[in-house]
């Protein structure tokens, strides 16, 4: 799904401290602000405006597991 | 290419950039200017990539990434245009460059950790950036100490009227064009970001006017206006463009700055 070397380099563009992101299902989730980024065709979409708010992606994740 | 803009407050430039660049990806891949072997060899000679991780900011059709990949552990091509990134993904696979990976991101909020990279390159893209100072600060941040960033971009003219005319011509061709800073401005901004300047030069690049307009599929009346501006240039603006020939053979010149920067 995502190259492990890339995962080691990626950081959240919304947060000034550029904290790492973690793989959570199909999403990359910021370890600080908890906003999530999609991976489209193997390419992470790390535009700040593409970030999904935590309540939104967690709600979607919960409903898909229900 | 970059094609790169700021965050949520600058949504529209990213979308406008995708309109312009997503459709132009194949033309840029085949561009003789962007794919010029001598120019790409010079980039490798200046950066001297040797292992480690490299970042290509506003990678466009990926030419710098393809040139650097054979010498490094990993090169990341970062651009805001999904069309360009899909093309790089495909070309990297075709070329067997399995260490070339892609990420959608912007130059003023580079989505990578601080001190993550052994080298950064940004070629013929920064004139699309809304905030060059912020890009330079971000390039400085993602570099490891002691490592280098190579910036190559078209530059403006120190004469304000000529500079304005160059800007008008570039914008006629490309609505996503923001500004070609002068060499003097670039050096001031780079030093303010914390960089040392290791090397600089400005060369005059000959450009075929029709190919230049075709690459972005420029339509009338902007196409004719741009050609007229080149052919009819006068004074210092003519000195800057140095137009020659006519029709399909009309050529002119743009000045390109190469700036090799190091992070102390």
């Amino acid at each position: 799904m995502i190259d492990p070397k890339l995962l080691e380099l990626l950081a959240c563009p919304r947060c000034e401290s550029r904290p790492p992101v973690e793989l959570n299902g199909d999403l990359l989730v910021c370890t600080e602000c908890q906003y999530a980024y999609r991976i489209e065709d193997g390419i992470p979409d790390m535009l700040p405006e593409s970030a999904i708010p935590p309540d939104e992606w967690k709600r979607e994740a919960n409903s898909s597991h229900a | 290419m970059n094609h790169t803009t700021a965050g949520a407050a600058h949504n529209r430039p990213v979308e406008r950039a995708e309109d312009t660049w997503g459709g132009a990806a194949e033309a840029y891949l085949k561009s003789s200017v962007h794919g010029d072997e001598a120019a790409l060899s010079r980039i490798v000679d200046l950066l001297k990539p040797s292992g480690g991780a490299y970042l290509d900011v506003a990678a466009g059709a990926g030419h710098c990434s393809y040139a650097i990949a054979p010498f490094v552990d990993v090169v990341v091509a970062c651009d805001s245009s999904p069309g360009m990134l899909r093309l790089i993904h495909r070309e990297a696979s075709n070329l067997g460059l399995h260490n070339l990976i892609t990420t959608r991101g912007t130059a003023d909020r580079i989505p990578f950790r601080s001190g993550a990279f052994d080298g950064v390159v940004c070629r013929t893209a920064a004139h699309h950036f809304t905030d060059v100072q912020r890009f330079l600060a971000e390039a400085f941040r993602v570099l490891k100490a002691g490592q280098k960033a190579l910036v190559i971009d078209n530059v403006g003219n120190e004469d304000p009227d000529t500079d304005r005319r160059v800007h008008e011509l570039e914008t006629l061709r490309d609505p996503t064009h923001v500004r070609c800073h002068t060499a003097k401005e670039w050096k001031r901004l780079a030093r303010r970001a914390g960089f040392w300047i290791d090397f600089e030069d400005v060369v005059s690049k000959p450009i075929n006017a029709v190919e230049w307009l075709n690459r972005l599929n420029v339509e009338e009346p902007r196409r004719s206006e741009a050609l007229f501006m080149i052919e009819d240039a006068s004074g210092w603006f003519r000195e800057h463009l140095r137009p020659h020939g006519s029709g399909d053979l009309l050529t002119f010149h743009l000045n390109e700055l190469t700036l090799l920067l190091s992070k102390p």
Side-chain angles (χ1 to χ4, degrees):
Chain A
M1 191 67 190
I2 185 166
D3 191 310
K5 283 178 289 201
L6 182 58
L7 192 56
E8 282 177 22
L9 300 169
L10 283 170
C12 176
R14 291 186 73 255
C15 296
E16 287 306 320
S17 64
R18 299 292 191 278
V21 292
E22 291 177 336
L23 195 58
N24 186 323
D26 295 336
L27 299 171
L28 292 164
V29 178
C30 173
T31 52
E32 282 188 14
C33 70
Q34 295 291 302
Y35 272 64
Y37 300 88
R38 294 188 200 283
I39 304 167
E40 310 274 359
D41 300 325
I43 302 170
D45 181 352
M46 303 300 289
L47 291 187
E49 57 267 42
S50 299
I52 308 164
D55 54 344
E56 194 176 315
W57 70 262
K58 284 177 182 173
R59 190 170 56 241
E60 281 177 21
N62 287 337
S63 63
S64 67
H65 290 143
Chain B
M1 113 189 25
N2 191 269
H3 334 158
T4 316
T5 48
H10 299 274
N11 244 349
R12 278 175 293 178
V14 170
E15 288 164 8
R16 197 176 61 195
E18 179 54 14
D19 289 346
T20 302
W21 298 104
E26 295 289 342
Y28 268 79
L29 179 66
K30 292 170 189 154
S31 157
S32 58
V33 175
H34 294 77
D36 180 63
E37 289 293 335
L40 293 168
S41 293
R42 186 166 184 254
I43 288 168
V44 171
D45 288 345
L46 285 168
L47 266 182
K48 297 182 176 51
S50 175
Y54 277 65
L55 175 64
D56 184 358
V57 177
H63 294 97
C64 287
S65 295
Y66 310 139
I68 290 168
F71 304 98
V72 300
D73 295 328
V74 62
V75 58
V76 182
C78 185
D79 202 284
S80 66
S81 162
M84 289 289 190
L85 292 168
R86 282 193 295 271
L87 177 138
I88 295 172
H89 208 60
R90 186 196 75 198
E91 279 301 299
S93 175
N94 290 345
L95 295 167
L97 299 172
H98 304 297
N99 61 339
L100 198 173
I101 44 188
T102 50
T103 294
R104 190 178 190 206
T106 61
D108 54 4
R109 285 192 167 266
I110 296 178
F112 296 103
R113 297 190 208 179
S114 300
F117 290 97
D118 299 276
V120 171
V121 64
C122 179
R123 181 194 185 208
T124 323
H127 54 275
H128 294 108
F129 299 169
T130 51
D131 189 342
V132 164
Q133 183 70 81
R134 184 150 181 167
F135 151 64
L136 286 166
E138 282 288 87
F140 188 88
R141 181 186 63 77
V142 299
L143 266 179
K144 292 175 184 168
Q147 303 294 8
K148 295 184 192 303
L150 181 63
V151 177
I152 299 170
D153 199 22
N154 295 340
V155 285
N157 195 290
E158 303 295 347
D159 172 61
D161 189 53
T162 304
D163 194 55
R164 180 180 56 76
R165 299 286 285 163
V166 171
H167 177 73
E168 279 173 19
L169 176 62
E170 294 266 17
T171 308
L172 259 179
R173 178 210 181 217
D174 172 10
T176 69
H177 178 84
V178 176
R179 176 161 160 67
C180 290
H181 288 278
T182 65
K184 207 179 277 184
E185 286 170 336
W186 265 109
K187 287 187 281 182
R188 181 175 52 80
L189 295 170
R191 288 192 181 105
R192 189 188 287 171
F195 282 113
W196 289 349
I197 296 170
D198 288 1
F199 172 84
E200 60 169 288
D201 75 2
V202 175
V203 295
S204 185
K205 272 189 315 188
I207 292 170
N208 178 285
V210 171
E211 285 177 20
W212 186 65
L213 294 167
N214 285 349
R215 260 203 305 281
L216 280 184
N217 200 20
V218 179
E219 293 177 352
E220 297 295 351
R222 289 191 291 124
R223 185 182 186 85
S224 293
E225 286 173 32
L227 288 169
F228 181 75
M229 258 190 106
I230 296 167
E231 286 185 301
D232 196 51
S234 60
W236 285 111
F237 184 47
R238 190 169 191 87
E239 283 289 308
H240 185 99
L241 296 184
R242 292 191 286 129
H244 179 76
S246 61
D248 286 352
L249 298 178
L250 175 64
T251 58
F252 67 104
H253 293 75
L254 290 175
N255 292 341
E256 184 179 79
L257 170 72
T258 297
L259 209 50
L260 184 64
L261 309 168
S262 62
K263 179 173 177 174

